[in-house]
C-alpha cells in the first residue's frame, strides 16, 4: 500500500492539474505584480482582496518562476516549495503528490515514549545520508529525531536560523522527495521525526519581504535576530499557521519545536496554532508540539503544548559539571545543588523571581505540571555551538561526574534529548557556521567576536582573533562527525552505556510515565540530590545522585528495587552514596512515599 499527501496553502504555487498552476502572492505594498516564468511571457497578476495577487499559468511541476514586485526588483516566492538555485534564484513548482508514502499505517508514538536525538542535517551529510543512519540511531533506544531548521538559507552551510523561505526545504541537503523519503523511512522503523521551525524572525540575506509586504513586520520593533514579525496581521498569522500545517500534513512530521516563542508578542497566535493543529491532524494520529520559551510560560503547557525545552535544567547541570559562571550562567552560580533539586521537582528554576544577570523577573510556577512537560538535555546545538570554540561536555567536564549526569538525563521522568555525537562521547566541536556573501560574512564574524569580548577569556583582542570565522568552510568541516570516531573503545563504551540506560528507561520508566509527577527533591550533600516521582501506577521512582567526589554517608535507606547503580554494586547496594555515584530505585505497587 502507498499514499500521497498534499496540503493546499493560501500562498504559493498550487498545481491544479499536470499542465496548470495557480500562483498566489501576498504583496500589500504593491500596486502591480507580474509572474515571470522561464521560457514564457511575463503575466500580469490580478489583485484580489486583502493584498493578494494571483494568476493561473499553463505550466506544471518543474517550472521555474519569480515575481516582479517593482521596476527593478524580481523576487522568489515567499511560499516557494523548492529553491534549486538558493535564496536569490527562481522558485520551482512542485507536485506534492509525486511522492508515494509507504508508511501508511504509521500513527505516531505517545509523548511518554519520546527520546529525542537532535540532528543538524548538513553535518549528517544530507537527507539521504541521514536516512541511511536511521537504523543505527534507532538501535540506541532513541524514538525521535529532531531536525534543526530546514527552511532555505543562503549558501550551503548554516545552522538554519537564517532561513528566509519557510516552505522550501534547504536544497543543499537534497530534494523535497529526499526529505519525504527520510520521514517515510523513519516511520517504517518506528522513529518519530520532529522539525525545528523559526517563526520569530527571517534571516538577513535573501529576505525581500519588507519591499513588497511591509505589514509583515512591526514598525520600530526588533528581536535579537532581526525585525519583529507582526502576528496581529491576519495574513501573517495565516502564512505561519499554514506553514506549520504544511510540514505536519504534507511532509508527515510527527511534531514541531517552535524556536524562541518568547520573541512572538502575540501569545494568542500560539494558542490558535495549537487549536488548528489539533483540528487538522487526522483522528488517531499523534502529533507533538514543543516550545523554546525563555518566559517559562507554564500556562501554555497547561493549555496543550506537549513540553518546553528545559534550559534552566541544562544551565544548572552545566554549572555543576563545569564550574562556569559567566554570561547567563551567572544566574546559576550559587546554590546549584538546591537549584538542581528545584528543576527536578518543578521543571522551571525561574518561576517569577528576579534573574541576577538581567535584574528582571522571569517565569511562572510550573510545579503542578507532569514531569513530561519538560525536555531535559545536557547538550544541544545552542549550548555547544554558541561557545567560541564549540566545546562539548566531554572536553569540559569531569568524566565521572558526566557519567552520573548522563544516567540522570536518561532515567529521570523528564523527556530526554541527546545532541548528535553525544551517544559516543564525541569530543569534536560543534561550531557556529554560515555561508553568507563576503561582506555579510565579515559582519557576522566581527559581531560574534565583539559579543564574546564580554567574557574574561576573550577580553584580549588577540585572543578574540583566534575564534573561528563562521563563514570559513573549515569551520563547518571541523564540526563533521566521521564514522571512525564512534569505533574507538571509548566510543563503544559510551554507546553501550547509552543503549543500556535507554533499555532501562523503556522497561521501567516509560510504561509508568503518563501523568508522572515529582513528589519531592532536596540536597543530601554538598553536590548530591535525592529526587522522587510518583508514577502513574502508584510506583515511586527515586534517584540519588552525587556529582562530587566526596561520598555521602547519611542518605535515607531505600528498600526498593535497585534498577541502576554507578559505581556498580551487588545486591541492593550500600546505604551510602559514593562520590560520582548514582542510585536509581523503583518501589513497585505504590509502596513507600
Amino acid at each position: 500500500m502507498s499514499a500521497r499527501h498534499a496540503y493546499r496553502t493560501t500562498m504559493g504555487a498550487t498545481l491544479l492539474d499536470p499542465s496548470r498552476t495557480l500562483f498566489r502572492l501576498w504583496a500589500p505594498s504593491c500596486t502591480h505584480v507580474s509572474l515571470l516564468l522561464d521560457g514564457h511571457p511575463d503575466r500580469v497578476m490580478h489583485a484580489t482582496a486583502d493584498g493578494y495577487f494571483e494568476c493561473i499559468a499553463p505550466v506544471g511541476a518543474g517550472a521555474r518562476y519569480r515575481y516582479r514586485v517593482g521596476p527593478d526588483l524580481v523576487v522568489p516566492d515567499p511560499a516557494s516549495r523548492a529553491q534549486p538555485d538558493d535564496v536569490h534564484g527562481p522558485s520551482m513548482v512542485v507536485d506534492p503528490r509525486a511522492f508515494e508514502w509507504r508508511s501508511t499505517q504509521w500513527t505516531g508514538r505517545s509523548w511518554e515514549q519520546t527520546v529525542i536525538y537532535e540532528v543538524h542535517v548538513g553535518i549528517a551529510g544530507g537527507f539521504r545520508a541521514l536516512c541511511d543512519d536511521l537504523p543505527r540511531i534507532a538501535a540506541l533506544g532513541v524514538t525521535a529525531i529532531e531536525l534543526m531548521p530546514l527552511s532555505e538559507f543562503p549558501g550551503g552551510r548554516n545552522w538554519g536560523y537564517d532561513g528566509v523561505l519557510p516552505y522550501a526545504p534547504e536544497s543543499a541537503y537534497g530534494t523535497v522527495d529526499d526529505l519525504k523519503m527520510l520521514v517515510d523511512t523513519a516511520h517504517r522503523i518506528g522513529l518519530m521525526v520532529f522539525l525545528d521551525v523559526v517563526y520569530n524572525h527571517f534571516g538577513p540575506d535573501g529576505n525581500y519581504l519588507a519591499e513588497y509586504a511591509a505589514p509583515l513586520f512591526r514598525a520600530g520593533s526588533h528581536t535579537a535576530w532581526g525585525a519583529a514579525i507582526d502576528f496581529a496581521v491576519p495574513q501573517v498569522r495565516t502564512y505561519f499557521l499554514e506553514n506549520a500545517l504544511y510540514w505536519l500534513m504534507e511532509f508527515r512530521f510527527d511534531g514541531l519545536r517552535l524556536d524562541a516563542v518568547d520573541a512572538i508578542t502575540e501569545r494568542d497566535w500560539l494558542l490558535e496554532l495549537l487549536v488548528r493543529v489539533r483540528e487538522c491532524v487526522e483522528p488517531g494520529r499523534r502529533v507533538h508540539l514543543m516550545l523554546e520559551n525563555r518566559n517559562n510560560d507554564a500556562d501554555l503547557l497547561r493549555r496543550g503544548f506537549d513540553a518546553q525545552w528545559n534550559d534552566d535544567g541544562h544551565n544548572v547541570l552545566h554549572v555543576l559539571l563545569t564550574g562556569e559562571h559567566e554570561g547567563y550562567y551567572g544566574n546559576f552560580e550559587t546554590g546549584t545543588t538546591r537549584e538542581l533539586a528545584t528543576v527536578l521537582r518543578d521543571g522551571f528554576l525561574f518561576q517569577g523571581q528576579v534573574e541576577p544577570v538581567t535584574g528582571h523577573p522571569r517565569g511562572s510556577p510550573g510545579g503542578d505540571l507532569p514531569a513530561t512537560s519538560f525536555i531535559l538535555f545536557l547538550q544541544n546545538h545552542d549550548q555547544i555551538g554558541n561557545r567560541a570554540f564549540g566545546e562539548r561536555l566531554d572536553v569540559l567536564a569531569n568524566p565521572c561526574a558526566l557519567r552520573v549526569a548522563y544516567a540522570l538525563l536518561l532515567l529521570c521522568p523528564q523527556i530526554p534529548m541527546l545532541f548528535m555525537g553525544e551517544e559516543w562521547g564525541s569530543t569534536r566541536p560543534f561550531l557556529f557556521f554560515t555561508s553568507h556573501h563576503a561582506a555579510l560574512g565579515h559582519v557576522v564574524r566581527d559581531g560574534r567576536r565583539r559579543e564574546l569580548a564580554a567574557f574574561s577569556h576573550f577580553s584580549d583582542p588577540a585572543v578574540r582573533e583566534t575564534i573561528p570565522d563562521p563563514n570559513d568552510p573549515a569551520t563547518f568541516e571541523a564540526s563533521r562527525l566521521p564514522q571512525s570516531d564512534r569505533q574507538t573503545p571509548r566510543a563503544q563504551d559510551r554507546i553501550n552505556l547509552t543503549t543500556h540506560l535507554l533499555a532501562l528507561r523503556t522497561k521501567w520508566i516509560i510504561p509508568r510515565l503518563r501523568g508522572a509527577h515529582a513528589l519531592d527533591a532536596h540536597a543530601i550533600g554538598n553536590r548530591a540530590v535525592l529526587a522522587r516521582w510518583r508514577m502513574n501506577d502508584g510506583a515511586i521512582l527515586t534517584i540519588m545522585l552525587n556529582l562530587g567526589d566526596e561520598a555521602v554517608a547519611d542518605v535515607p535507606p531505600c528498600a526498593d528495587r535497585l534498577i541502576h547503580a554507578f559505581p556498580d554494586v551487588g545486591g541492593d547496594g550500600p546505604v551510602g552514596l559514593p562520590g560520582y555515584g548514582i542510585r536509581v530505585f523503583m518501589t513497585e505497587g505504590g509502596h513507600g512515599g
Side-chain angles (χ1 to χ4, degrees):
M1 288 181 61
S2 64
R4 300 173 189 269
H5 297 285
Y7 181 75
R8 183 162 179 169
T9 57
T10 301
M11 286 178 57
T14 302
L15 197 65
L16 301 177
D17 58 46
S19 59
R20 289 190 314 143
T21 300
L22 169 66
F23 296 89
R24 204 155 192 259
L25 173 71
W26 186 59
S29 304
C30 298
T31 55
H32 302 286
V33 176
S34 297
L35 172 68
L36 281 61
L37 283 160
D38 286 3
H40 294 263
D42 295 357
R43 289 175 175 265
V44 175
M45 300 181 72
H46 306 292
T48 65
D50 303 323
Y52 289 101
F53 292 79
E54 64 180 38
C55 71
I56 295 175
V59 295
R64 307 289 183 98
Y65 69 100
R66 290 184 287 184
Y67 298 117
R68 184 178 297 280
V69 295
D72 301 311
L73 183 59
V74 174
V75 300
D77 187 346
S80 167
R81 296 191 177 207
Q83 286 293 125
D85 300 317
D86 211 359
V87 296
H88 300 287
S91 304
M92 187 174 77
V93 178
V94 169
D95 179 2
R97 295 188 181 276
F99 184 82
E100 294 187 50
W101 293 82
R102 303 295 180 183
S103 53
T104 56
Q105 303 304 308
W106 175 259
T107 58
R109 302 183 72 145
S110 70
W111 180 243
E112 292 74 25
Q113 292 177 303
T114 304
V115 176
I116 303 173
Y117 185 89
E118 190 188 17
V119 180
H120 184 279
V121 176
I123 293 298
F127 297 136
R128 287 182 173 270
L130 178 55
C131 190
D132 292 341
D133 199 31
L134 291 179
R136 180 193 68 82
I137 296 171
L140 296 168
V142 166
T143 62
I145 59 170
E146 181 173 309
L147 310 182
M148 289 176 65
L150 300 179
S151 299
E152 188 76 34
F153 52 73
R157 307 180 308 275
N158 199 288
W159 277 14
Y161 300 92
D162 286 328
V164 294
L165 296 169
Y167 288 76
E170 172 54 41
S171 55
Y173 298 161
T175 67
V176 169
D177 283 359
D178 288 340
L179 174 56
K180 292 179 178 180
M181 182 182 69
L182 170 65
V183 178
D184 195 34
T185 302
H187 290 170
R188 292 168 71 183
I189 63 172
L191 283 173
M192 296 181 285
V193 188
F194 302 150
L195 178 62
D196 191 343
V197 292
V198 183
Y199 296 153
N200 54 70
H201 75 284
F202 286 87
D205 185 12
N207 174 15
Y208 299 99
L209 284 157
E211 302 295 329
Y212 61 89
L216 192 145
F217 301 101
R218 184 181 295 106
S221 181
H222 289 79
T223 72
W225 314 282
I229 295 168
D230 192 349
F231 281 88
V233 177
Q235 296 88 336
V236 175
R237 296 170 78 96
T238 297
Y239 177 73
F240 288 104
L241 284 170
E242 291 184 345
N243 182 260
L245 292 169
Y246 162 76
W247 292 120
L248 295 172
M249 303 306 294
E250 187 168 308
F251 284 81
R252 315 305 289 173
F253 280 98
D254 299 279
L256 303 175
R257 179 261 193 190
L258 278 66
D259 177 67
V261 299
D262 48 286
I264 299 174
T265 56
E266 288 77 12
R267 183 177 178 273
D268 68 302
W269 180 83
L270 296 171
L271 297 173
E272 183 180 358
L273 171 64
L274 184 65
V275 170
R276 287 285 302 276
V277 168
R278 301 306 182 208
E279 289 176 345
C280 191
V281 168
E282 303 91 340
R285 182 178 166 213
R286 287 165 287 196
V287 163
H288 308 297
L289 297 175
M290 298 145 273
L291 302 171
E292 181 191 33
N293 189 357
R294 194 177 179 282
N295 291 337
N296 285 0
D297 187 343
D299 188 58
L300 288 174
L301 302 174
R302 296 187 190 101
R303 299 284 286 270
F305 284 94
D306 290 277
Q308 177 180 313
W309 275 26
N310 192 351
D311 285 298
D312 286 359
H314 165 273
N315 294 342
V316 167
L317 283 162
H318 186 90
V319 171
L320 280 166
L321 290 168
T322 67
E324 295 180 346
H325 56 80
E326 290 193 87
Y328 54 78
Y329 290 130
N331 290 318
F332 306 87
E333 66 176 315
T334 59
T336 48
T337 304
R338 174 185 55 80
E339 291 167 349
L340 176 57
T342 299
V343 297
L344 293 177
R345 184 186 66 239
D346 298 337
F348 298 141
L349 176 64
F350 284 94
Q351 303 180 48
Q353 64 268 49
V354 172
E355 282 188 315
V357 171
T358 66
H360 300 296
R362 177 167 75 85
S364 60
D368 62 300
L369 294 167
T372 53
S373 295
F374 306 95
I375 298 169
L376 188 61
F377 44 88
L378 296 176
Q379 306 185 78
N380 65 25
H381 72 272
D382 265 333
Q383 306 296 353
I384 304 171
N386 281 327
R387 302 178 64 84
F389 297 108
E391 305 100 325
R392 294 171 179 256
L393 277 178
D394 279 271
V395 174
L396 300 170
N398 177 293
C400 296
L402 183 56
R403 165 67 173 76
V404 171
Y406 198 61
L408 171 68
L409 169 68
L410 297 186
L411 295 179
C412 94
Q414 295 186 23
I415 298 296
M417 184 174 76
L418 302 172
F419 185 68
M420 61 188 307
E422 186 174 358
E423 75 274 24
W424 71 79
S426 175
T427 57
R428 295 203 182 249
F430 180 74
L431 296 160
F432 179 66
F433 45 79
T434 60
S435 49
H436 294 306
H437 59 78
L440 181 57
H442 292 158
V443 170
V444 170
R445 178 200 63 197
D446 295 343
R448 184 170 174 81
R449 289 175 177 175
R450 281 195 302 272
E451 288 176 5
L452 290 165
F455 293 83
S456 58
H457 181 72
F458 299 106
S459 59
D460 184 342
V463 175
R464 290 200 297 275
E465 289 297 312
T466 67
I467 297 172
D469 178 357
N471 228 42
D472 186 341
T475 302
F476 173 79
E477 294 299 326
S479 303
R480 287 192 183 274
L481 298 171
Q483 292 187 20
S484 57
D485 281 8
R486 58 178 186 254
Q487 294 168 355
T488 66
R490 175 184 170 277
Q492 287 299 312
D493 285 346
R494 178 69 68 84
I495 290 169
N496 292 339
L497 173 63
T498 302
T499 305
H500 172 66
L501 291 172
L502 288 178
L504 291 176
R505 183 179 187 87
T506 299
K507 178 180 179 180
W508 292 99
I509 311 299
I510 288 175
R512 299 175 165 93
L513 199 48
R514 181 181 294 273
H517 278 77
L519 286 173
D520 51 57
H522 57 276
I524 56 173
N526 184 42
R527 297 171 67 82
V529 169
L530 182 150
R532 300 190 309 153
W533 294 265
R534 186 178 297 279
M535 312 305 281
N536 64 15
D537 62 350
I540 306 298
L541 173 69
T542 302
I543 298 180
M544 306 177 190
L545 69 148
N546 185 359
L547 295 173
D549 59 357
E550 296 181 4
V552 179
D554 186 18
V555 299
C558 197
D560 310 344
R561 180 187 292 269
L562 179 67
I563 63 174
H564 179 67
F566 176 78
D568 195 16
V569 294
D572 289 331
V575 174
L577 182 62
Y580 302 127
I582 185 168
R583 301 284 185 265
V584 182
F585 299 91
M586 184 74 77
T587 302
E588 297 188 79
H591 300 293

